[in-house]
Amino acid sequence: MPSRKILVTSALPYANGPIHIGHLVEYIQADIWARFQKMRGHECYYVCADDAHGTPIMLRAQQDGISPEELIERVGRDHRADFAEFAIQFDNYSTTRSPENRELANTIYTRLRDAGHITRRTIRQAYDPVKKMFLPDRFIRGECPRCGAADQYGDSCEVCGATYSPVDLKNPVSAISGAIPVENESEHYFFKLDSFEPMLRDWTHAGHLQPEVVNKLTEWFKAGLKEWDISRDEPYFGFEIPDAPGKYFYVWLDAPIGYLASFKQLCDRVGLSFDAFIGPGSKNEMVHFIGKDIIYFHALFWPAMLEGAGLRKPTAIFVHGFLTVNGQKMSKSRGTFVTARTYLEHLDPEYLRYYFASKLGSGIDDIDLNLEDFVHRVNADMVGKVVNIASRCAGFISKRFDGRLSDALAVPQLFESFVAAAEPIASAYESRDYNRATREVMTLADKANQYIDEQKPWALAKEKGKEDELQAICSMGLNLFRVLMGYLAPVLPVMAAEVEKFLNIERSTWGNIATPLTHHTIGKFEPLMTRVDASQVTAMIEASKSDLGNPKGGSSNDNSIPDVVRR
């Protein structure tokens, strides 16, 4: 297979609060895919950044009595620590506040402006007379114009699901000051998205997106694409538009450019060619992992911006669904809105990596973290099946044979059947059908355990003259275990590294998994994974109920500021 060159990105976490387990679905999904590509021998780079601009950042910093720069540094430090402990391996992690992002945002905007894709017009919008600032829709609260529910956002109702304009709200108030908003006029800058409709229709139907996403976009095309407001008035924390004093880029303009800026930092650091990946006509791949809530920005605005600026468009956009816990939306009151840090204080991060992998398919359906199933599946699959193979064989090899494996495989055809599964499992990883990949591995694990059950090494160890047979059986078991852990390495990188140390082997690649370990000396076996105790999960849920009163990550919990995940 020829080597590919791939740039992988995940949506940028917003820099006003901590990472939670709902976020982790995406970062774990993308990390598994990037690790798999690297195991296949491809040149793959996984980059991300904190999304550091916008009104919520500005207001949160004011509330905490610090500068926005101090806030994004503090939260960014926590984000990077959480990701690292979940073994999410970014080749570069940046912030949209970087000089590279400012330069690229200015360049892309200028190219769009000079090509005639930017227009200006005066609009009327809600204004807070106390704070003297225009209000984003999410910072206006009132009664739903459809069902009358109180305390709803200015753009949608969480009770009946209606969407509307802030001017339609009944009894609106500013979520910042409590003042009644007034309407003021302001000149805004707009990106002519509708000019790119023919290109976007072709591009969205050219295999870059999942079928469910294409169907959703078809609905938006039928409704008609509209010009996109890309400016905000001061005060606003962001990049000032080059030719418009007092006007700032709307955060959604410079946020996706942050993918390119983070990659630019990597290129400058390690000597890669930025243009070879991002320039027009690039044959290298650029793949985005995102949630289904931000399809419009990534599948319409983003490719149109890139096209208008003379840059390459994404090769693929992989969309996933949301996370539910026990079949319901994550809830602070129920303790199921769990931050990454709270999880880490109670449970092994690779439990969650494995569980998410066992649930994730290639579609955009939501996935459910059923806590009872979580305990059962980790214990049954990882501890009871996979780790059990090594624990049943390693002790005999260490104690009886000084850690030396036999010179030949006891059952070569069984080993070959495990090796033959490499391509079906690789196909599952490639298409993000991680649930299929893990099922294939667990089927093999059952076969390995069946082999050990039938051969009964513990019984042979009590018989005289059976030393060679005992060594061969246990060596066979460890070879099968090694193949399984090679297949699981993208999902369980920490445990895979421990296995490589224990087996005294080089880092697993998709190629070297097929080479058996014969006449080879292994190290001492140490427990690789302990069983999950349901009490640990209960403790995590209870801690989440209290933790979210003052979330870790540097942000306080003032209800006057909306809980914005992305902008």
Side-chain angles (χ1 to χ4, degrees):
M1 173 185 287
S3 180
R4 296 153 60 187
K5 295 185 178 182
I6 313 167
L7 170 60
V8 178
T9 77
S10 293
L12 312 184
Y14 202 46
N16 74 333
I19 301 298
H20 58 67
I21 58 173
H23 295 135
L24 288 170
V25 171
E26 179 173 310
Y27 302 106
I28 289 172
Q29 182 188 41
D31 183 74
I32 290 171
W33 199 79
R35 286 179 180 274
F36 164 72
Q37 299 299 344
K38 292 174 182 179
M39 280 189 71
R40 293 284 272 181
H42 301 311
E43 188 179 331
C44 181
Y45 304 100
Y46 181 24
V47 304
C48 196
D50 271 347
D51 185 358
H53 289 154
T55 302
I57 299 288
M58 178 180 72
L59 295 177
R60 182 72 71 189
Q62 289 175 4
Q63 178 180 282
D64 289 359
I66 57 177
S67 69
E69 287 82 2
E70 288 176 296
L71 173 65
I72 61 181
E73 171 56 31
R74 187 172 71 189
V75 175
R77 188 166 54 246
D78 291 341
H79 285 181
R80 291 189 294 272
D82 289 345
F83 286 139
E85 290 199 49
F86 275 93
I88 295 165
Q89 189 176 55
F90 297 113
D91 293 287
N92 194 68
Y93 195 87
S94 185
T95 166
T96 57
R97 193 64 178 169
S98 71
E100 292 86 355
N101 202 39
R102 182 191 296 271
E103 180 182 352
L104 283 167
N106 287 347
T107 297
I108 288 174
Y109 167 78
T110 302
R111 289 182 182 181
L112 294 175
R113 180 199 64 195
D114 293 349
H117 301 307
I118 303 294
T119 188
R120 295 183 291 174
R121 68 172 181 270
T122 298
I123 63 171
R124 296 182 64 82
Q125 58 184 143
Y127 185 81
D128 186 322
V130 174
K131 287 291 186 179
K132 298 189 179 342
M133 62 180 289
F134 287 97
L135 292 169
D137 294 350
R138 300 286 282 183
F139 285 81
I140 305 170
R141 309 284 289 197
E143 298 167 13
C144 172
R146 178 189 288 180
C147 73
D151 198 30
Q152 297 304 306
Y153 289 118
D155 56 357
S156 64
C157 176
E158 293 186 329
V159 176
C160 72
T163 58
Y164 41 75
S165 169
V167 298
D168 297 325
L169 272 180
K170 297 177 182 177
N171 301 316
V173 296
S174 165
I176 304 170
S177 69
I180 297 173
V182 298
E183 279 200 347
N184 274 4
E185 288 188 344
S186 175
E187 184 179 59
H188 274 231
Y189 289 61
F190 293 82
F191 173 55
K192 297 179 180 178
L193 179 66
D194 50 333
S195 299
F196 294 88
E197 183 169 334
M199 179 278 291
L200 289 170
R201 283 184 179 273
D202 291 341
W203 184 84
T204 55
H205 287 80
H208 304 290
L209 307 166
Q210 294 130 299
E212 309 98 308
V213 176
V214 175
N215 292 338
K216 182 64 180 176
L217 292 172
T218 300
E219 297 175 20
W220 286 328
F221 282 126
K222 287 180 180 177
L225 302 184
K226 297 177 175 59
E227 292 181 344
W228 177 36
D229 189 345
I230 62 166
S231 66
R232 293 296 184 267
D233 293 282
E234 60 181 353
Y236 190 80
F237 184 62
F239 292 143
E240 194 168 32
I241 299 176
D243 57 356
K247 304 288 184 181
Y248 292 79
F249 289 130
Y250 174 41
V251 59
W252 262 113
L253 182 128
D254 68 70
I257 297 171
Y259 301 144
L260 309 187
S262 184
F263 184 58
K264 181 69 164 56
Q265 285 184 350
L266 176 66
C267 291
D268 292 345
R269 189 174 75 243
V270 303
L272 289 171
S273 171
F274 181 76
D275 290 341
F277 279 83
I278 309 303
S282 171
K283 300 300 181 185
N284 297 336
E285 299 173 53
M286 182 167 72
V287 174
H288 302 309
F289 284 81
I290 64 165
K292 62 183 179 182
D293 55 329
I294 51 176
I295 292 172
Y296 202 99
F297 294 99
H298 282 80
L300 294 176
F301 293 147
W302 180 229
M305 284 170 55
L306 292 168
E307 175 79 5
L311 300 173
R312 60 86 47 80
K313 296 182 288 295
T315 309
I317 298 175
F318 297 143
V319 180
H320 62 83
F322 300 137
L323 178 70
T324 58
V325 180
N326 292 335
Q328 297 179 292
K329 288 178 65 175
M330 292 167 59
S331 163
K332 296 180 180 180
S333 61
R334 288 191 296 270
T336 57
F337 196 105
V338 182
T339 66
R341 184 52 46 185
T342 301
Y343 177 97
L344 289 166
E345 289 169 352
H346 294 87
L347 294 164
D348 186 329
E350 293 212 306
Y351 294 159
L352 194 66
R353 286 184 68 103
Y354 177 75
Y355 191 78
F356 281 171
S358 74
K359 304 284 278 188
L360 279 164
S362 61
I364 67 171
D365 295 332
D366 294 348
I367 69 168
D368 185 51
L369 170 57
N370 180 286
L371 295 173
E372 185 176 336
D373 181 55
F374 169 78
V375 173
H376 169 75
R377 189 169 302 205
V378 171
N379 289 342
D381 288 2
M382 292 314 307
V383 182
K385 293 183 180 181
V386 177
V387 173
N388 190 46
I389 299 167
S391 63
R392 297 170 91 186
C393 299
F396 293 119
I397 295 294
S398 295
K399 294 173 185 175
R400 299 289 191 94
F401 309 104
D402 294 326
R404 189 173 61 83
L405 301 179
S406 57
D407 293 343
L409 292 173
V411 190
Q413 62 271 28
L414 178 59
F415 182 81
E416 288 305 318
S417 71
F418 275 50
V419 170
E423 285 313 304
I425 292 172
S427 174
Y429 276 127
E430 178 66 43
S431 60
R432 305 169 324 285
D433 279 328
Y434 303 157
N435 53 8
R436 178 159 59 92
T438 56
R439 286 198 310 271
E440 293 268 3
V441 172
M442 290 309 136
T443 298
L444 294 175
D446 285 336
K447 290 181 180 179
N449 279 296
Q450 181 182 359
Y451 167 77
I452 296 168
D453 288 339
E454 291 171 350
Q455 300 303 315
K456 297 180 174 57
W458 53 90
L460 283 176
K462 298 175 183 178
E463 299 183 31
K464 291 183 178 181
K466 298 287 187 177
E467 293 295 302
D468 289 348
E469 191 175 347
L470 174 64
Q471 184 185 26
I473 290 167
C474 292
S475 297
M476 185 72 201
L478 289 173
N479 266 284
L480 299 179
F481 171 72
R482 181 272 180 104
V483 174
L484 296 180
M485 282 307 305
Y487 293 152
L488 287 171
V491 178
L492 303 170
V494 175
M495 192 164 97
E498 292 172 355
V499 168
E500 288 157 5
K501 182 180 178 182
F502 149 58
L503 292 178
N504 192 26
I505 57 175
E506 295 179 353
R507 174 166 292 189
S508 294
T509 68
W510 219 254
N512 67 20
I513 292 172
T515 304
L517 303 177
T518 54
H519 194 66
H520 176 83
T521 301
I522 65 172
K524 183 181 177 183
F525 177 76
E526 301 286 351
L528 294 167
M529 183 175 281
T530 56
R531 294 175 61 83
V532 188
D533 192 304
S535 64
Q536 295 172 279
V537 177
T538 300
M540 177 185 72
I541 297 301
E542 290 304 311
S544 295
K545 291 177 183 176
S546 58
D547 280 358
L548 282 154
N550 183 20
K552 295 181 174 75
S555 57
S556 54
N557 189 37
D558 186 330
N559 290 328
S560 69
I561 296 180
D563 182 14
V564 181
V565 175
R566 289 191 177 99
R567 293 142 220 107

